[in-house]
Structures are given as C-alpha cells and as structure tokens.
Amino acid sequence: MLGLQFPTDPRWVDLASKDLAEILTDHAYCELKAATMCISLVQSYPDKIKLVEEVSPVVTEEWGHFRQVLNELKKRDLKLGFQRKDEYVLGLLAFKKPGGSKIDVLVEKLLVCALIEARSCERFRLLSLHLEDADLRKFYHHFMVAEASHYTMFLDLARLYGDPTKVNYRWQEYLHFEGELMASLTPQGTRVH
C-alpha cells in the first residue's frame, strides 16, 4: 500500500528497543515537526479550501500525539532529550524541485509530507508488531493507523491541486529517491527515520 521501495530491516526494532528514551524523544520531535508543517501549509495556502479543511485538524492531532509521547516518556520515568538533525528529512527536502509556480511548490511539499508519513507508518507498524512490551505495541499501532491516514491525505491533496498524471510520475520519482536515500543512511535504531 505504501509503495516504499526500501523496507526497513525488522532488526531495527531490536535497536530501537534498546534505548526507548532516544526513540521516544525522536518520535516526539517528529510529531512536533509534523504539527508545525501543517500550520505552515495552512498559513501559506489559505486560499486552498480543501487543504485548510483537511490539514487543520491534523495540527491538533499531531500536537496531541506529541503530548502522548511526552506522557509515555513520563510514565516510564524517562526524559525528553534534545532534538537532533534529521538526515532523512534533509535528504527529502534537497530532492524537492526548486522554483516553479506556487502550485508546483505546494505539490512538492505535499509529496514530501506524504513520504515522511508513509515511512513513519512503516516504522510504527514494525514497532507495533515486534516490540516485547505489549503496551508499547498497542501505543505504536495507534500511531501507525494515524500516519497511514495522513499519508493518503497528503497524496490525495497533491493530486487534487496538481495535474494527477504529473503528480503520480513525480511520486514515483520520490519513491525511487527515498529508497536510495534509505539505503545510503546508516541504520539508526534510535530514529524514527
């Protein structure tokens, strides 16, 4: 369903489970950045009614997810660490086509958002299936479902505002690039991406 071309090695879960404070910290910041991106989209494209209607509730949802991760840290007597540079997202942003019309820029942003959500969904699925802690498996199943709906929303919005044929072609380019990017990054169990 997600179309990702480089599946995460299931052993990534073993690495993630060895440092829950780090993976939960990274997850918290991912949710915070997602909320910020949604706010930015609404601010930049208030004339796109469907976008505003669909993305605005996601701001609240992502902020709620951030707070849920903070609560999970607190419940486990763990502390929120510092945000780290996200090589994955920086790589995707570098792949965006520069310039173009305002719609072209919007479509590129929406495709990047869709891809980030798709990869998060894939990683959260692995955590929901393979973590030893039953509570954390349930916790991550909830996030997996949310990320899947965000992924489809961003992709549908890109197809709505851009030429669907061109958007589909560009999406395939993104999927190919993302697979190469994932293969090139050093596997880090303490990162969502």
Side-chain angles (χ1 to χ4, degrees), residues 2-12 118-119 122-123 125-126 175 178-183 185 187:
L2 299 171
L4 298 173
Q5 297 181 7
F6 187 88
T8 296
D9 186 323
R11 292 175 291 182
W12 170 81
R119 181 57 69 181
E122 186 244 11
R123 290 278 172 103
R125 178 182 175 275
L126 289 174
L175 288 171
E178 196 264 359
E180 291 180 344
L181 176 63
M182 287 298 293
L185 293 173

Side-chain angles (χ1 to χ4, degrees), residues 110-121:
L110 292 169
L111 292 178
V112 168
C113 289
L115 202 42
I116 292 168
E117 298 289 335
R119 181 57 69 181
S120 298
C121 177

